[in-house]
Amino acid sequence: MDWRRLQVFNKIANFNSFTEASKNLKKSQSALSRDIIYLEKKAGFKVFVRDIRGIKLTKEGQALLSITKDFLNKIDSLK
């Protein structure tokens, strides 16, 4: 998996919004969407359920978020 795309996933999940993550990362929403589509393809599962009300993490997405948060915390502790 691509670490950059995992970081994008983490931002989107934390903001619970492609729009807010887009503003924070200074990338277009379509670029973030492509990153998530690529991540889902490589992972073999969907990480978000998308509908007109917004996005929601799937069960697998919740597990992946937990792993990425743990990894980010461990990286931060090395600084």
Side-chain angles (χ1 to χ4, degrees), residues 21-54:
S22 172
K23 290 175 187 174
N24 182 266
L25 293 169
K26 296 177 177 48
K27 292 180 72 174
S28 71
Q29 289 181 36
S30 61
L32 298 186
S33 184
R34 284 191 302 271
D35 284 341
I36 295 303
I37 290 167
Y38 181 86
L39 176 69
E40 290 174 334
K41 188 180 225 181
K42 287 294 184 184
F45 54 83
K46 296 284 185 191
V47 294
F48 294 114
V49 174
R50 300 162 183 87
D51 64 25
I52 59 172
R53 292 180 303 258

